[in-house]
Amino acid sequence: MIDIWENSIRATHLFLTSKEIDKIKEYVPKAIENVEHLIIAYNNRDSSIAFMGVENKKIEMLFVKNNERGKGVGTKLIKYGITNILMQIS
């Protein structure tokens, strides 16, 4: 998951320096580990390509590998999260 996070951040968060990303990266494993619901998307080769974290009825994180962006993976994760997590929480 850390590799997906870093790949996604480096491709989309151009306002962050490499040093800033490296500093933030120190906190990412704990954030992923502690998120209430973690949903992982895989490609047809069973490689993880994206993930989303839901906490307190909110999407707290959504990261998609750069080479998978624009293929609908993020949209599918969001739809799955709404249907299978957010709609099930009372």
Side-chain angles (χ1 to χ4, degrees), residues 1-2 5 27-35 38 51 61:
M1 296 304 104
I2 304 303
W5 175 86
Y27 301 97
V28 173
K30 193 76 161 170
I32 293 170
E33 178 181 313
N34 290 326
V35 72
L38 182 67
F51 69 91
M61 57 182 80

Side-chain angles (χ1 to χ4, degrees), residues 15-37:
F15 54 90
L16 293 174
T17 66
S18 186
K19 188 174 182 177
E20 290 169 323
I21 291 170
D22 290 341
K23 185 67 177 165
I24 295 167
K25 185 177 177 181
E26 296 174 21
Y27 301 97
V28 173
K30 193 76 161 170
I32 293 170
E33 178 181 313
N34 290 326
V35 72
E36 189 175 7
H37 301 279

Side-chain angles (χ1 to χ4, degrees), residues 57-75:
K57 298 183 181 182
K58 295 186 293 185
I59 295 172
E60 292 291 342
M61 57 182 80
L62 175 61
F63 299 100
V64 179
K65 277 188 174 180
N66 189 44
N67 64 340
E68 298 294 336
R69 289 176 57 220
K71 298 179 181 178
V73 176
T75 300

